[in-house]
Amino acid sequence: MRWSEFYGRWSALAWFCLLPCVPAAHAGTISFVDLFKNVDSIQTGDGNTLTGNGAFFSAELTSGAANDYSSVTLTYPGPGSPLGLTELNPPSTDYKYQSTPFANQSAMDTAFPFGLYTFLADGTDGANLNYAADDYAQTEPYLTGTDFSSLQGMNPANPFTVHFSTDTPGGAADETSAFIFFTVFDNTLGESVFDGGFLPTSTSSLTIPANTLNFGDDFTYEIDFSDRDTPLGNGGTFSPESGFDLRTDGTFSTQQPASVPEPASVVLAGLGLLALGGLRHRRR
């Protein structure tokens, strides 16, 4: 899960800089750029029962106003360079690229190696990011105790408290923030149904409120230990960001809804309607 220690902790683990840009022929501005590396695992039982589940890379540029740019590209040392970033939900300020899943971190690192990553918008406005090393959390995320088995067939009418393994951030010199994220996705509905938001790394548990989840649906939870690095003193108009996320997913299904017995009054009413129908049929 870790790259070579050749670079050492003394190196800038995610040093960035903004290079002077060719003057723009329009009013567009770049307000932010980032890249994220994500390594995913699956929890299959109680405790640290993790198996690798691939990795993916993403990069994003944010403009000062919606529709500032018609095209955004990313050039970098990898074999797929250059790449195009897609405007999300246009008109918007967000332009993003996300790779297809890689089999493992090593394959992702080969495709997106250390080096200079250059964002260029409309061929005129640019920002450079020198990706020098990693800063993943030093511990793996997973549900502790018997939480995994307790989730299987849980009653969503009751609150459920999940407990997290200890998050030990990477601790790079330019690490400015680290968070835990916990989300639940309803696979039956195809939508996110619970998001714990930005949790401090000291968070050890979180409660899913009663009646948040549907009875009888299938779900995927995700725990994300996310470390974010920002350079110091880069002299730019904004501070870019690199992110290193360790994600763990797990699946469960909630208790099936209890069958509701038909009230006696409804049964009697139904019999009465049947009798009335028979009487009408005989009268015809």
Side-chain angles (χ1 to χ4, degrees):
M1 297 291 290
R2 296 292 180 269
W3 280 311
S4 169
E5 295 297 324
F6 171 78
Y7 290 86
R9 280 293 177 183
W10 54 268
S11 64
L13 292 180
W15 173 78
F16 299 91
C17 66
L18 296 179
L19 295 186
C21 303
V22 177
H26 51 76
T29 58
I30 299 174
S31 62
F32 187 70
V33 295
D34 67 39
L35 68 76
F36 274 75
K37 282 199 161 182
N38 303 265
V39 179
D40 190 55
S41 298
I42 294 180
Q43 184 172 2
T44 58
D46 288 332
N48 189 358
T49 54
L50 305 184
T51 57
N53 191 41
F56 66 94
F57 169 91
S58 66
E60 189 168 4
L61 177 146
T62 303
S63 62
N67 288 335
D68 263 357
Y69 302 114
S70 59
S71 68
V72 177
T73 59
L74 175 66
T75 58
Y76 60 100
S81 179
L83 293 170
L85 276 65
T86 302
E87 184 178 2
L88 301 180
N89 303 315
S92 74
T93 61
D94 297 321
Y95 302 79
K96 186 171 183 177
Y97 168 82
Q98 181 167 307
S99 73
T100 55
F102 294 95
N104 49 48
Q105 181 184 346
S106 178
M108 174 180 65
D109 293 345
T110 298
F112 295 95
F114 297 141
L116 187 67
Y117 286 65
T118 300
F119 295 80
L120 191 62
D122 282 355
T124 58
D125 297 351
N128 285 354
L129 179 160
N130 188 15
Y131 165 42
D134 294 335
D135 189 28
Y136 294 98
Q138 300 176 44
T139 49
E140 299 282 354
Y142 56 88
L143 296 181
T144 60
T146 59
D147 282 5
F148 180 86
S149 57
S150 297
L151 271 175
Q152 312 306 318
M154 59 89 77
N155 182 351
N158 300 324
F160 189 94
T161 299
V162 291
H163 301 83
F164 307 133
S165 56
T166 301
D167 182 359
T168 303
D174 57 356
E175 181 174 294
T176 56
S177 59
F179 305 100
I180 296 175
F181 298 98
F182 179 78
T183 55
V184 180
F185 187 86
D186 189 320
N187 301 317
T188 304
L189 297 177
E191 61 185 38
S192 179
V193 291
F194 181 77
D195 186 345
F198 288 75
L199 303 171
T201 58
S202 59
T203 305
S204 60
S205 63
L206 180 68
T207 298
I208 303 172
N211 302 310
T212 299
L213 311 179
N214 284 348
F215 279 92
D217 283 2
D218 298 323
F219 299 88
T220 296
Y221 67 82
E222 182 172 85
I223 313 167
D224 182 357
F225 288 179
S226 181
D227 289 32
R228 282 89 184 291
D229 295 357
T230 301
L232 301 176
N234 63 56
T237 57
F238 61 88
S239 295
E241 182 177 77
S242 65
F244 302 92
D245 288 19
L246 297 182
R247 301 169 179 264
T248 294
D249 299 332
T251 59
F252 66 97
S253 298
T254 51
Q255 183 181 109
Q256 292 293 327
S259 57
V260 180
E262 214 171 1
S265 58
V266 174
V267 174
L268 292 174
L271 292 174
L273 291 173
L274 288 174
L276 180 58
L279 179 61
R280 288 173 177 168
H281 177 74
R282 288 195 297 273
R283 284 178 177 171
R284 282 201 300 271

